[in-house]
Amino acid sequence: MRRAVAVRLSALLAAGALTAATGVALSSTTASAATGGVTGYATQNGGTTGGAGGQTVRATTGTAIHQALCGRASSSTPITIQVEGTINHGNTSKVSGSSCNTAADRIELKQVSNVTIVGVGNGAVFDQLGIHIREASNIVIQNVTVRNVKKSGSPTSNGGDAIGMESDVRNVWVDHVTLEASGGESEGYDGLFDMKDNTQYVTLSYSVLRNSGRGGLIGSSESDRSNGYVTFHHNLYENIDSRAPLLRGGVAHIYNNHYKRLNESGINSRAGARAKVDNNYFEDSKDVLGTFYTDEAGYWQVGGNVFDNVTWSSRGGDNNPAGPDPTSNTSVSIPYGYTLDGANCVPNVVAQTAGAGKGLKVSDGSCTPQNPDPTDPGPTDPGEPTDPGPTDPPAGTNLSIGAGADGSSKASGTSYGNVVDGNPSTYWSPSSTTGSVSVKWGSATTVSKVGLRTASGSGTIGAYRVLNHDTGAVLASGSGAGVVSFSPVSLKKITFEITSASGTPRIAEFETYAN
């Protein structure tokens, strides 16, 4: 089952006459390319919508991409950047600004959120220039080609990764992309799709990864086990030596992929990783599943896979292939809905849908490629969005009205009392990106739900905890604004603690309810 995003990714056509010498233009018309909905683990943790609902710009250079990021009101203001043409070192410069942190030798999505990069028109090619996602959240990359990114030789970019994610990254959807190299590490290339240092809730779908020594990894070392919740589906891995992918810790869901010519090893689950491997088609390959190059075991649940001309090496030492008759040694629970194509039709379905320039076609589980859903037109420049918080607030009395409030810190010009005044235009902000605010009563009060509303221009809450301040117990945790439910508890003080964020959050109301 494909799960559509609440607001479709808008892809608006530029007016043409507005194109500047830098290669960036503000779109002035609505209409354009259609997209399918986000799938897999990127639907979890609040979902992934990228720049949906925000301004749309057109970029034909890397510098223009950076200018679009730096021209936003804040680092979390939603934006869709339509890219056409070849992006390379010659047209990619560092751009400075309060809403961005860019570099000259890569496309840098660093310390930002709510961004879509989508190829349009005649296509977008990132030539020898990688895309780097760091300390970022809610990112969509779609319909682009990234090729020949090197970590050694000349020119170098992004540590040799075509797309690389690291350092507290959350909710990334990479869809209908083509990632390719022209050799392995000895030729200067590294991974095509790497995740490390606390990267979570990622989906790679309908994409092509080929002609590389390394397909990609989750975790940079045996001790880097803070990554996971990654879905790989309907991708083609072709002529890859190893790491298709390499998993160190965490959970991965790998289904309906076509693996062709995995030369040394394929899915390498190790260091406690758990992979659910369903209805894939493995062809003309070696050691397509197992724990390789380490004695720290990983685990897998397998079902419905086809092994066509696959060879298996002998087990021993740090080489432990799952075959020649792979069986499950763990179970993995998947929290989202999905429908499997039969493994025998995977090569045909993937050939017609995977990669850039395929019209964003998808599969609905019927072994027949489907055209994407229509795109809902969006505004060209809506200004700073407001997240009103709960769209369906809990019934009953908001117990925060008339209660007291305090907290750990507050930004200049804000007040703790603004979260309990019933006025959504006033707000509390922490003095930095993290901090806490509390609602308190003179006597014990029963609470089972809280509602968080953020004000216009707010940064994105990356992670939070709701605490019983009386005891220190964690009542709930998650990300973003909205309604949070937990078992009823009697307390005198409840605290909302922001533990990570992109930009500075603005909490307009901290509502509390008994039911």
Side-chain angles (χ1 to χ4, degrees), residues 22-87:
T22 58
V24 62
L26 176 66
S27 293
S28 63
T29 61
T30 61
S32 173
T35 64
V38 62
T39 53
Y41 273 115
T43 65
Q44 305 298 289
N45 191 45
T48 305
T49 57
Q55 185 184 35
T56 297
V57 301
R58 179 72 69 97
T60 59
T61 69
T63 302
I65 294 172
H66 286 160
Q67 287 175 327
L69 293 169
C70 296
R72 298 182 295 163
S74 75
S75 62
S76 61
T77 302
I79 190 168
T80 294
I81 305 172
Q82 298 177 338
V83 182
E84 184 174 17
T86 299
I87 311 301

Side-chain angles (χ1 to χ4, degrees), residues 206-282:
Y206 298 102
S207 295
V208 173
L209 298 87
R210 63 186 173 208
N211 301 334
S212 177
R214 296 169 172 175
L217 57 75
I218 302 174
S220 60
S221 67
E222 305 298 71
S223 61
D224 182 14
R225 304 188 186 191
S226 58
N227 312 278
Y229 307 116
V230 182
T231 301
F232 303 84
H233 75 89
H234 292 92
N235 304 299
L236 170 65
Y237 284 79
E238 183 175 19
N239 192 27
I240 302 290
D241 288 343
S242 63
R243 302 186 180 183
L246 164 61
L247 316 170
R248 291 176 168 122
V251 174
H253 187 197
I254 303 171
Y255 71 91
N256 282 157
N257 301 286
H258 184 198
Y259 294 94
K260 189 174 182 179
R261 286 189 291 145
L262 302 180
N263 302 316
E264 297 174 9
S265 62
I267 300 168
N268 185 354
S269 180
R270 55 198 268 187
R274 296 187 300 128
K276 184 171 174 61
V277 184
D278 289 332
N279 286 34
N280 301 281
Y281 195 102
F282 300 94

Side-chain angles (χ1 to χ4, degrees), residues 15 50 69 105 177 191 193 230-231 262 270 274 289 337 365 378 386 394 398 410 418 437 452 491 493 501 507 515:
L69 293 169
D105 63 345
V177 304
F193 194 72
V230 182
T231 301
L262 302 180
R270 55 198 268 187
R274 296 187 300 128
L289 174 65
T386 299
N398 175 12
K410 58 183 176 181
N418 288 338
V437 63
L452 276 300
L491 42 69
K493 186 173 179 179
I507 305 301
N515 298 306

Side-chain angles (χ1 to χ4, degrees), residues 124-362:
V125 176
F126 294 79
D127 185 32
Q128 302 182 76
L129 199 77
I131 299 174
H132 187 216
I133 304 170
R134 182 169 184 169
E135 299 171 65
S137 63
N138 195 23
I139 306 296
V140 174
I141 299 174
Q142 192 172 46
N143 199 38
V144 303
T145 294
V146 187
R147 67 188 185 197
N148 293 333
V149 180
K150 286 191 172 185
K151 69 175 182 177
S152 61
S154 180
T156 60
S157 173
N158 196 31
D161 295 337
I163 295 178
M165 292 159 269
E166 62 179 310
S167 300
D168 303 323
V169 173
R170 291 292 185 277
N171 290 86
V172 178
W173 180 34
V174 179
D175 176 66
H176 284 91
V177 304
T178 297
L179 309 177
E180 56 191 7
S182 297
E185 187 176 20
S186 61
E187 287 78 29
Y189 305 99
D190 196 14
L192 295 176
F193 194 72
D194 279 12
M195 291 156 277
K196 52 193 175 185
D197 191 16
N198 197 24
T199 294
Q200 297 181 3
Y201 301 105
V202 176
T203 295
L204 176 66
S205 56
Y206 298 102
S207 295
V208 173
L209 298 87
R210 63 186 173 208
N211 301 334
S212 177
R214 296 169 172 175
L217 57 75
I218 302 174
S220 60
S221 67
E222 305 298 71
S223 61
D224 182 14
R225 304 188 186 191
S226 58
N227 312 278
Y229 307 116
V230 182
T231 301
F232 303 84
H233 75 89
H234 292 92
N235 304 299
L236 170 65
Y237 284 79
E238 183 175 19
N239 192 27
I240 302 290
D241 288 343
S242 63
R243 302 186 180 183
L246 164 61
L247 316 170
R248 291 176 168 122
V251 174
H253 187 197
I254 303 171
Y255 71 91
N256 282 157
N257 301 286
H258 184 198
Y259 294 94
K260 189 174 182 179
R261 286 189 291 145
L262 302 180
N263 302 316
E264 297 174 9
S265 62
I267 300 168
N268 185 354
S269 180
R270 55 198 268 187
R274 296 187 300 128
K276 184 171 174 61
V277 184
D278 289 332
N279 286 34
N280 301 281
Y281 195 102
F282 300 94
E283 181 178 3
D284 299 335
S285 297
K286 176 184 177 183
D287 286 346
V288 297
L289 174 65
T291 296
F292 307 103
Y293 322 120
T294 182
D295 59 3
E296 295 195 38
Y299 308 96
W300 44 84
Q301 179 180 349
V302 295
N305 301 290
V306 170
F307 302 94
D308 179 2
N309 192 32
V310 171
T311 60
W312 302 89
S313 60
S314 300
R315 298 180 185 179
D318 60 2
N319 190 69
N320 288 282
D325 183 22
T327 57
S328 300
N329 55 18
T330 191
S331 62
V332 181
S333 177
I334 301 301
Y336 50 82
Y338 63 101
T339 301
L340 292 169
D341 284 305
N344 281 315
C345 70
V346 162
N348 181 56
V349 169
V350 168
Q352 295 183 67
T353 58
K358 291 293 183 69
L360 302 179
K361 290 184 176 182
V362 297

